[in-house]
Amino acid sequence: MPPRSSAHRHGRPARLLSAVFHPIGDEGRASLVERRIADAIRGGVLHAGEKLPSEHDLAQTFGVAPATVREALLSLRSRGLLVTRRGRGGGSFVADSADPMAFTTEALRSTTRVSLRDAATHYLAITRACVELAARRADPSEVELIRARVHRAHGGDLRMWRRIVDDAVIELAALSQSARLTREQMRLQAELSPFFALVDQDEREQKRRLDALDSILDAVADADPGRAGDLVAEAVAHDVTWLIDHRATLEAQ
């Protein structure tokens, strides 16, 4: 995993970077490594021009063989997501031409409505479980710290807004005090955040998301798990409907 200081220097939530580089273990196929890194690039977790850890370090953090990492990086280079630079300071870098929104738009176009709804159902199940447990276990002061960070980010750069929102959702999951649920929330957040970023390109949608988060945080602070879970369900339903409608628009073009 990149050094903690690097994550802070680039303004990225450390939890999202952890989701990118957590071990793959026995499922260590090159395609999984490739998908993990590609999703991070599409989601803006890894930036254009950013240097990846060495093949050796990636192999250790993913829990796979160096040859598996080498194969994944080769495929990512062929797709134009990574470039190789030689000499001192060389290595694998995110291509300057990597456009997260363009990649995500194309990914949405090629995703079926059934797949979108299935992903949303999984995301909802985990997120709802997290916030309901958080409503039973969290201290209201912890909730207010999350709220303050989200409000400071609203109205600024879209990339930073998405990072702060993703981190807020993961921090909210952490308040559930369930390590298993939090790890799964981290994984799903990294996977679906690029699609949520498409929604949040619209300033009205950003405001809607802020209001929805405020309401969810209110319910958690009020120790009302039922209301917190219902609000998460409403928010996820809105997002998946927006994405399906946007996909239909893309198909018609």
Side-chain angles (χ1 to χ4, degrees):
M1 191 177 111
R4 185 171 183 271
S5 59
S6 173
H8 282 254
R9 183 170 63 252
H10 290 288
R12 287 187 304 280
R15 290 180 178 84
L16 270 187
L17 282 176
S18 296
V20 174
F21 293 114
H22 74 268
I24 287 174
D26 292 337
E27 295 181 279
R29 299 192 305 269
S31 60
L32 292 179
V33 176
E34 178 185 349
R35 185 176 66 190
R36 186 82 64 78
I37 296 174
D39 286 346
I41 294 171
R42 284 195 292 263
V45 180
L46 295 173
H47 301 166
E50 182 168 354
K51 183 179 180 180
L52 268 64
S54 69
E55 289 182 2
H56 177 268
D57 288 344
L58 285 173
Q60 284 194 323
T61 54
F62 281 129
V64 300
T68 300
V69 170
R70 197 169 302 118
E71 182 182 343
L73 296 181
L74 181 63
S75 181
L76 289 164
R77 291 184 193 106
S78 70
R79 293 168 59 184
L81 293 176
L82 295 181
V83 295
T84 300
R85 298 175 188 167
R86 306 296 180 186
R88 174 178 285 184
S92 295
F93 294 79
V94 178
D96 290 336
S97 59
D99 181 347
M101 288 300 178
F103 286 125
T104 305
T105 298
E106 188 56 38
L108 178 63
R109 192 195 302 269
S110 62
T111 302
T112 66
R113 284 183 295 177
V114 172
S115 294
L116 277 173
R117 291 192 183 281
D118 186 51
T121 298
H122 186 187
Y123 181 83
L124 172 58
I126 298 301
T127 309
R128 184 169 196 156
C130 286
V131 300
E132 288 179 352
L133 278 175
R136 295 184 176 96
R137 298 173 176 176
D139 187 290
S141 64
E142 297 173 306
V143 176
E144 292 311 310
L145 288 174
I146 297 173
R147 190 196 309 273
R149 284 194 289 273
V150 172
H151 275 264
R152 283 197 298 269
H154 181 247
D157 175 71
L158 174 61
R159 181 180 292 177
M160 182 58 68
W161 162 251
R162 278 305 323 164
R163 289 183 193 134
I164 296 299
V165 169
D166 288 333
D167 210 31
V169 174
I170 293 168
E171 287 180 352
L172 190 55
L175 294 182
S176 72
Q177 300 177 29
S178 168
R180 287 179 180 269
L181 282 174
T182 302
R183 284 196 297 270
E184 183 64 3
Q185 186 72 57
M186 289 167 64
R187 189 188 69 78
L188 290 172
Q189 205 67 31
E191 177 184 339
L192 295 180
S193 180
F195 292 111
F196 296 150
L198 289 179
V199 181
D200 285 0
Q201 289 180 102
D202 186 327
E203 290 183 3
R204 292 169 300 179
E205 290 297 330
Q206 277 196 39
K207 181 60 168 62
R208 180 204 59 80
R209 192 176 303 281
L210 177 66
D211 292 342
L213 271 170
D214 265 334
S215 297
I216 293 166
L217 291 169
D218 284 341
V220 172
D222 292 342
D224 190 339
R227 183 160 60 94
D230 289 345
L231 288 167
V232 169
E234 290 176 15
V236 173
H238 177 92
D239 282 338
V240 74
T241 299
W242 190 100
L243 288 166
I244 287 172
D245 289 346
H246 188 56
R247 179 184 176 278
T249 300
L250 293 172
E251 282 187 321
Q253 291 175 352

